């Protein structure tokens, strides 16, 4: 069998094959934008990805910020396809989100994604298809339940997905799934499955990454917002990088924090972190209680609308949510006012006032 027809069998070799230049330190679960009929607004989407791409080189598509749990399987595959169209020619990295409420649904979407990548790449070799499409792994999360599952139940649901041998990323998001994985469970999965390469934690408690129980080489990305700099390994934190919903609005600012950390300017990184944390806190407060979407999506759609249209954000039609409603104008106003107070609202946004936000 040719080497390109199978993934390497150990974690270090797999990571080297997938990321020969190193794993990106800044990732984004991209927002998705919809036209007035509920389809993807490709022009708006590409403008948004182009805004992030100079600073964000890895994307989770679709992630929770990108309506992953709300999308149908057809929509999830189409979202991934749209992203590949943009990222593959630019040499950017993708994690394909297979985020579903139960193991059977995750398995079904995983099969769809793998078949689609092979068809798109014109090969029966899954590693070749992943490489051709710029997909570096599959992202899964625990099932969504009203009552928390025992840890053994989470392991039972996830293990068959990991056992396929594909490069896998695991997502901790109890705010959506209702289930929290312990350090012991994540360490057990990492020990059993060397194809488990990346762990993202958006819980805000960070007990898994801080536990000291995870094996060397497992890439740890923080997804919780706020106080960014102190969680990075450069300042003694447990994380290798960030996979942040707010990279949709602040790609340059977050990249600047990482740059300051690389240069040993910890004080500058913490100062920038404090500024972003204040604005992000205001945005999440502004979307509390909205009936549609989730807080990550809604806060970042408001922030990205302001960054896209700048001083015209309040007079540009607000963005549509997956459910069909739009963000209230007062939310846009509150978020834009916070950005203005903190000196982060552009006079002219990245859409330049020339593109309707809802077509």
């Amino acid at each position: 069998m040719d080497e390109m027809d199978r993934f390497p069998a150990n974690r270090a070799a797999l990571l080297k094959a997938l990321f020969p230049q190193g794993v990106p330190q800044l990732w984004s679960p991209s927002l998705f934008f919809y036209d007035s009929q509920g389809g993807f607004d490709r022009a708006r989407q590409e403008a948004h990805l182009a805004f992030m791409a100079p600073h964000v080189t890895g994307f989770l598509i679709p992630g929770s910020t990108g309506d992953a749990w709300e999308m149908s399987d057809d929509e999830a595959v189409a979202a991934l396809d749209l992203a590949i169209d943009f990222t593959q020619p630019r040499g950017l990295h993708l994690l394909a989100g297979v985020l579903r409420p139960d193991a059977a649904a995750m398995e079904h979407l995983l099969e769809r994604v793998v078949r689609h990548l092979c068809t798109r790449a014109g090969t029966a070799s899954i590693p070749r298809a992943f490489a051709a499409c710029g997909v570096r792994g599959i992202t899964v999360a625990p099932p969504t339940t009203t009552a928390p599952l025992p840890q053994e139940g989470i392991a039972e649901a996830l293990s068959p997905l990991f056992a396929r041998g594909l490069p896998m990323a695991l997502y901790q998001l109890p705010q959506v799934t209702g289930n929290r994985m312990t350090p012991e469970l994540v360490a057990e999965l990492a020990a059993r499955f060397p194809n488990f390469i990346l762990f993202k934690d958006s819980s805000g408690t960070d007990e898994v990454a801080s536990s000291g129980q995870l094996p060397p080489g497992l890439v740890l990305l923080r997804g919780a917002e706020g106080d960014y700099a102190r969680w990075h390994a450069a300042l003694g934190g447990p994380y290798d990088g960030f996979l942040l919903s707010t990279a949709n609005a602040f790609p340059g600012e977050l990249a600047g924090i990482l740059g300051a950390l690389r240069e040993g300017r910890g004080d500058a990184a913490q100062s920038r972190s404090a500024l972003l944390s204040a604005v992000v806190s205001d945005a999440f407060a502004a979307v509390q209680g909205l009936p549609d979407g989730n807080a990550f999506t809604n806060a970042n759609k408001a922030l990205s609308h302001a960054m896209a249209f700048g001083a015209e954000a309040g007079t540009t039609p607000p963005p549509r949510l997956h459910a069909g409603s739009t963000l209230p104008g007062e939310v846009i106003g509150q978020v834009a006012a916070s950005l203005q107070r903190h000196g982060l609202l552009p006079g002219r946004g990245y859409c330049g006032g020339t593109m309707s936000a809802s077509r």
Side-chain angles (χ1 to χ4, degrees), residues 58-78:
F59 297 89
L60 168 57
I61 306 290
S64 56
T65 305
D67 307 316
W69 274 279
E70 297 180 60
M71 286 182 180
S72 68
D73 284 4
D74 286 347
E75 288 176 310
V77 172

Side-chain angles (χ1 to χ4, degrees), residues 20-353:
Q21 305 305 315
V23 180
Q25 290 197 23
L26 182 58
W27 296 70
S28 172
S30 179
L31 290 162
F32 274 84
F33 296 90
Y34 306 101
D35 59 27
S36 58
Q37 286 74 48
F40 293 130
D41 185 337
R42 179 173 283 267
R44 176 71 179 88
Q45 190 69 42
E46 290 181 348
H48 180 64
L49 291 170
F51 167 65
M52 288 191 285
H55 310 287
V56 179
T57 54
F59 297 89
L60 168 57
I61 306 290
S64 56
T65 305
D67 307 316
W69 274 279
E70 297 180 60
M71 286 182 180
S72 68
D73 284 4
D74 286 347
E75 288 176 310
V77 172
L80 181 61
D81 217 30
L82 191 161
I84 293 169
D85 288 344
F86 181 89
T87 60
Q88 191 275 337
R90 294 166 174 82
L92 304 175
H93 306 283
L94 290 174
L95 293 171
V98 178
L99 302 173
R100 286 291 177 263
D102 58 62
M106 284 188 270
E107 179 72 26
H108 186 266
L109 180 54
L110 176 56
E111 289 284 357
R112 282 280 308 270
V113 167
V114 170
R115 286 199 309 270
H116 181 76
L117 295 178
C118 287
T119 299
R120 177 177 174 127
T123 177
S125 165
I126 296 173
R128 289 181 185 275
F130 274 47
C133 296
V135 173
R136 311 307 181 204
I138 301 290
T139 301
V140 297
T144 305
T145 55
T146 53
L149 289 171
Q151 295 298 291
E152 313 86 75
I154 299 174
E156 183 179 350
L158 295 177
S159 293
L161 302 171
F162 282 79
R164 295 173 62 103
L166 302 173
M168 299 295 291
L170 182 57
Y171 188 3
Q172 173 98 293
L173 187 64
Q175 301 96 315
V176 171
T177 67
N179 285 295
R180 185 184 299 272
M181 294 173 287
T182 63
E184 292 77 13
L185 173 59
V186 178
E188 176 197 344
L189 290 170
R192 288 173 58 199
F193 300 109
N195 54 308
F196 173 17
I197 57 171
L198 187 150
F199 178 70
K200 175 193 176 181
D201 195 337
S202 294
S203 67
T205 58
D206 304 292
E207 73 270 19
V208 176
S210 301
S211 70
Q213 297 185 39
L214 304 182
L218 180 65
V219 177
L220 306 180
L221 299 178
R222 191 171 196 257
E225 298 292 346
D227 203 12
Y228 305 99
R230 81 174 182 92
W231 288 102
H232 193 273
L235 285 185
Y239 290 99
D240 302 297
F242 304 122
L243 204 168
L244 293 168
S245 65
T246 50
N248 283 282
F250 303 120
E253 289 81 1
L254 289 165
I257 291 170
L258 288 167
L261 290 171
R262 282 193 299 272
E263 295 163 7
R265 296 184 294 113
D267 289 346
Q270 290 181 308
S271 176
R272 292 187 184 193
S273 289
L275 175 64
L276 281 191
S277 297
V279 176
V280 170
S281 178
D282 287 349
F284 275 82
V287 301
Q288 280 189 355
L290 292 183
D292 296 323
N294 65 64
F296 292 98
T297 303
N298 296 341
N300 284 285
K301 279 217 165 171
L303 286 166
S304 69
H305 184 81
M307 301 306 285
F309 299 101
E312 299 179 9
T315 56
T316 304
R320 178 184 174 116
L321 303 179
H322 186 273
S325 60
T326 58
L327 280 180
E330 57 267 28
V331 167
I332 299 294
Q334 290 174 42
V335 169
S338 174
L339 288 164
Q340 183 73 55
R341 285 195 307 273
H342 291 92
L344 291 173
L345 182 69
R348 183 177 177 83
Y350 66 81
C351 284

